[in-house]
Amino acid sequence: MTSFSTSVMRAPYSTADAPSMADSLPSINFSFDELRDCMTKFTIRFDDFIEKGRKRILAERNQFRINVAELEEDQRMKKKDIEILTLQSNAHAQTVAKEAQELSEMHIAIDTLTVQLDDRAAARDQLKQQIAETKKAIAQQHKAQQEYARYLDGQQRFNIHELDFWHDYLCLRINGAGVEDQLKFVFTHVDGRDPEREAWFELGMRKKDYEVLHCKPKIEGEKVADCVEKLNETRDLGPFLKGMRELFISALR
C-alpha cells in the first residue's frame, strides 16, 4: 500500500532559503515486496486458470473424440444391421417367391391328378359297363349252348339214322372245319356233268344263331341268308341242308 506524507506549513523563506519545486511535491513510497507478492499471486492464479482451461479443453476434446468414435461405431453397427436386414429381406423375398412357385406347381399337380382321377373314374365306369355287357353276352351264349345241348340230347337217338339218311339221300358227309364249334358239310352229285365234284359250306355254331361262314362254289348271299334264317327259327337241319344242296345245284347248272 502506498503512503503519502506532507510537510508542515512553515513560514515563507527568503528567496535564497526557499525550497525547490521538487521539494514541494508530495513524497511517494512504493512497496515493491507487496507488489511482487501480488504479481506472484496473480501469476499463480493465471497459470492455474490457464492450466485448468487447457485441461478442460483437452478433456472436452477427448470427450468429443470419444463421442465421435461412439457415433461412428454406432453408425457402423447400424449400417451393418441395415445390411443384415437387407440380406434377410432379400432371403425372405426369395423364400416367399419360391413358396409361391411351389404352391402354384402344387395346384397344377392337384388339377392334373383331379383330371386323371376323373378320367380313371370314367374308364372304370366304362369298364364296369363292358364287364356287365360281356357277362350278359356270356350268359346268352351259355343259354344258347344249353339249348343246343338239350336239342342235341333230344336228337341223339335220331343222329345215326339222320346221318345215314343225309349221306344216302343228299350225298352229304360232315367233316370238322379245324375250328371249334364249326362244321364242314360236303355235297357230291350236285353237278350233272361231274357227279364227283364237291360243293361245300362251313356252318358256325359258336354264337346263339347259326351262320354260314364259307362256301364253294359261290352262291347268292341273299338265298343263303334265307336258309340260315329258317334254320335259326326251326333249329331243324334237314330242310336247311336240303335247301343248301338245291342252291349248289342251281349255281352249277
Side-chain angles (χ1 to χ4, degrees):
M1 187 175 180
T2 305
S3 60
F4 297 92
S5 61
T6 57
S7 60
V8 180
M9 296 296 295
R10 297 190 180 113
Y13 293 96
S14 62
T15 305
D17 296 331
S20 65
M21 183 63 66
D23 294 333
S24 63
L25 293 175
S27 63
I28 300 173
N29 184 15
F30 291 98
S31 178
F32 288 101
D33 293 334
E34 185 178 356
L35 178 61
R36 185 171 55 251
D37 183 59
C38 290
M39 291 298 294
T40 300
K41 290 180 180 180
F42 173 78
T43 302
I44 292 172
R45 287 197 303 271
F46 182 76
D47 291 341
D48 181 65
F49 172 78
I50 295 299
E51 182 64 21
K52 289 181 180 179
R54 187 182 67 82
K55 290 181 179 180
R56 182 176 56 81
I57 292 174
L58 182 61
E60 291 177 354
R61 183 175 63 182
N62 291 335
Q63 186 62 39
F64 176 76
R65 289 178 179 177
I66 293 172
N67 293 338
V68 170
E70 290 178 352
L71 289 174
E72 290 178 350
E73 179 66 17
D74 185 62
Q75 185 178 7
R76 187 182 67 82
M77 293 299 295
K78 288 182 178 180
K79 184 177 180 181
K80 187 175 181 180
D81 292 339
I82 291 173
E83 292 176 354
I84 294 174
L85 290 175
T86 302
L87 292 175
Q88 292 177 349
S89 177
N90 294 335
H92 179 69
Q94 292 177 358
T95 302
V96 171
K98 184 178 180 181
E99 290 179 353
Q101 183 179 0
E102 291 177 352
L103 182 62
S104 177
E105 293 175 353
M106 187 179 298
H107 283 303
I108 294 174
I110 292 173
D111 294 339
T112 303
L113 291 175
T114 302
V115 172
Q116 292 179 355
L117 183 61
D118 294 339
D119 293 341
R120 291 183 180 180
R124 180 195 60 193
D125 295 338
Q126 185 177 3
L127 184 60
K128 286 183 178 180
Q129 183 179 0
Q130 292 176 354
I131 291 173
E133 293 175 353
T134 303
K135 288 182 177 180
K136 183 178 180 181
I138 292 173
Q140 292 176 351
Q141 184 177 358
H142 182 65
K143 182 178 180 181
Q145 290 176 348
Q146 288 179 341
E147 291 178 356
Y148 182 68
R150 286 194 295 269
Y151 170 77
L152 291 179
D153 291 339
Q155 296 293 324
Q156 185 174 5
R157 59 192 181 91
F158 302 107
N159 285 346
I160 296 176
H161 300 290
E162 287 191 58
L163 289 175
D164 291 338
F165 172 77
W166 292 342
H167 183 270
D168 296 337
Y169 180 72
L170 299 177
C171 299
L172 170 68
R173 73 177 186 270
I174 302 175
N175 299 329
V179 181
E180 186 179 359
D181 295 332
Q182 189 169 322
L183 293 175
K184 184 176 182 180
F185 295 84
V186 183
F187 294 101
T188 59
H189 296 81
V190 291
D191 188 351
R193 294 166 296 183
D194 184 5
E196 298 300 324
R197 182 177 180 181
E198 294 181 351
W200 57 268
F201 71 91
E202 292 180 356
L203 184 66
M205 297 175 290
R206 180 181 297 273
K207 298 180 180 179
K208 179 180 179 181
D209 293 333
Y210 295 105
E211 56 181 346
V212 174
L213 302 176
H214 306 285
C215 62
K216 185 178 181 181
K218 293 291 185 180
I219 52 180
E220 295 183 19
E222 185 176 353
K223 293 182 179 180
V224 174
D226 291 339
C227 291
V228 174
E229 184 179 359
K230 291 179 181 179
L231 172 63
N232 289 325
E233 289 177 356
T234 63
R235 297 290 176 177
D236 190 355
L237 285 173
F240 169 71
L241 294 174
K242 183 179 179 181
M244 290 297 294
R245 178 179 174 81
E246 291 176 354
L247 291 178
F248 281 124
I249 292 173
S250 298
L252 293 174
R253 284 177 182 173

